Amino acid sequence: MAKVAIVSCRIISFLMIAICLYISAAAASDEQTKIENAAFKEAVEAVKGKDYSHAIELFEKQAKLPRHDAQYNLAVLLNAGKGRPRNYVDALYWSWQAQLGSIEDAEDLASDIVDLLPPKAVDEVRIRVGNTLKSRIDADDIMAIP
């Protein structure tokens, strides 16, 4: 009976520690999400104010996190040549990254861009996306493939 009580106490202690760690991680994650959302909102406001170079800077930081809606917005700006010279290769890269995050509009954008690029450039972007995905998987990023 004493062994059962000791095991029960250890399980309860373990569960309490796990709960505390989860709450701490969730609180940190919530704070990070607030920061990311504020930066995303700032980028959207920059687009509305036609400060495209600032918007690209903000979207690019978020796109690298990766935040898929920022990846799509970055692709749109790069495709249109807003804030930076038009860059179809990078626009395709970010639109394919956004597609991995289930951003439906990214598929249409990517399709339009693919038609503008030579096949070799499209293949190079495909390899780049594959390498990025592999790096995320190798880093144990559980969100690499949603």
Side-chain angles (χ1 to χ4, degrees), residues 23-131:
I23 290 171
S24 295
S29 178
D30 285 346
E31 187 60 33
Q32 182 64 29
T33 299
K34 287 178 185 176
I35 292 168
E36 289 172 17
N37 288 342
F40 187 85
K41 185 178 179 181
E42 182 182 345
V44 169
E45 291 301 317
V47 170
K48 289 179 183 176
K50 299 186 182 193
D51 186 358
Y52 300 117
S53 59
H54 184 58
I56 279 188
E57 180 183 311
L58 293 169
F59 282 137
E60 191 168 40
K61 286 179 185 176
Q62 296 223 333
K64 291 176 181 178
L65 289 176
R67 182 172 174 157
H68 301 295
D69 49 356
Q71 292 170 337
Y72 174 72
N73 290 339
L74 178 58
V76 168
L77 291 172
L78 292 169
N79 182 58
K82 302 284 186 181
R84 284 193 192 155
R86 183 171 282 154
N87 186 330
Y88 294 125
V89 170
D90 284 347
L92 180 60
Y93 172 79
W94 289 115
S95 63
W96 275 346
Q97 292 289 352
Q99 276 184 271
L100 291 173
S102 302
I103 304 294
E104 292 178 16
D105 291 337
E107 186 174 345
D108 292 334
L109 178 61
S111 179
D112 292 343
I113 297 168
V114 164
D115 293 340
L116 300 171
L117 290 172
K120 183 178 179 187
V122 172
D123 289 341
E124 289 170 358
V125 175
R126 196 173 279 119
I127 290 167
R128 185 174 158 202
V129 169
N131 289 340

